[in-house]
Amino acid sequence: MDYRTDRPLTVDQYIALLNASTLGERRPVDRPDIVKQMLDHANLLVTAWDGDRLVGAARCLTDYGFVTYCSDLCVLASEQRKGIGRELLRKVMEVAPCRIVLLSAPKAVDYYPRIGFTHHPSAWTILPGEFI
């Protein structure tokens, strides 16, 4: 597996990865314009490649000193349980050696404690139009 921070990927490649990893259920895969913004504005993207096949990605926002928010950690469903997600996060921490924060997808909630993450009970979210 080749882990890269410098290999570009297309919106279509990323949408296909999201759909094949189950994250497509919770991402705007029907809106390539928004997915393009997601990729354009992430300042750290670590990808996993098997030759020319995109196998996984960790899409992050980081200040490189205090915190990295991993907004997507996705691995093809057919390639999960092979250590690829763990290695993507390891590479994220090599590039940005600081705390990683993320919100778990419901299907992955048991995964993160197994690789050393600590549960944090006070995360909060709000959607546009909900602010008082």
Side-chain angles (χ1 to χ4, degrees), residues 70-81:
C70 182
S71 48
D72 292 334
L73 177 65
C74 46
V75 175
L76 294 174
S78 62
E79 300 297 321
Q80 291 176 5
R81 300 190 182 279

Side-chain angles (χ1 to χ4, degrees), residues 3-81:
Y3 296 91
R4 305 289 296 268
T5 58
D6 61 349
R7 186 167 175 179
L9 65 149
T10 67
V11 169
D12 289 339
Q13 285 174 308
Y14 197 63
I15 289 172
L17 175 64
L18 289 169
N19 283 330
S21 70
T22 73
L23 267 186
E25 300 167 5
R26 288 166 304 289
R27 298 297 183 270
V29 293
D30 60 336
R31 295 285 311 271
D33 56 320
I34 293 176
V35 175
K36 182 178 183 330
Q37 287 181 326
M38 291 164 56
L39 289 171
D40 287 350
H41 296 288
N43 65 346
L44 177 55
L45 179 66
V46 180
T47 52
W49 299 85
D50 182 8
D52 287 332
R53 183 174 71 131
L54 177 62
V55 175
R59 186 177 64 86
C60 305
L61 302 167
T62 185
D63 58 23
Y64 294 96
F66 180 70
V67 68
T68 296
Y69 172 65
C70 182
S71 48
D72 292 334
L73 177 65
C74 46
V75 175
L76 294 174
S78 62
E79 300 297 321
Q80 291 176 5
R81 300 190 182 279

Side-chain angles (χ1 to χ4, degrees), residues 62-110:
T62 185
D63 58 23
Y64 294 96
F66 180 70
V67 68
T68 296
Y69 172 65
C70 182
S71 48
D72 292 334
L73 177 65
C74 46
V75 175
L76 294 174
S78 62
E79 300 297 321
Q80 291 176 5
R81 300 190 182 279
K82 297 180 179 179
I84 297 167
R86 179 189 307 246
E87 189 61 22
L88 284 164
L89 290 171
R90 193 173 287 140
K91 296 294 183 186
V92 165
M93 198 165 274
E94 283 178 13
V95 175
C98 53
R99 171 190 311 256
I100 296 176
V101 174
L102 56 80
L103 297 174
S104 175
K107 292 180 181 177
V109 75
D110 294 329

Side-chain angles (χ1 to χ4, degrees), residues 104 108-119:
S104 175
V109 75
D110 294 329
Y111 169 71
Y112 294 102
R114 286 198 318 263
I115 64 169
F117 276 70
T118 302
H119 180 257

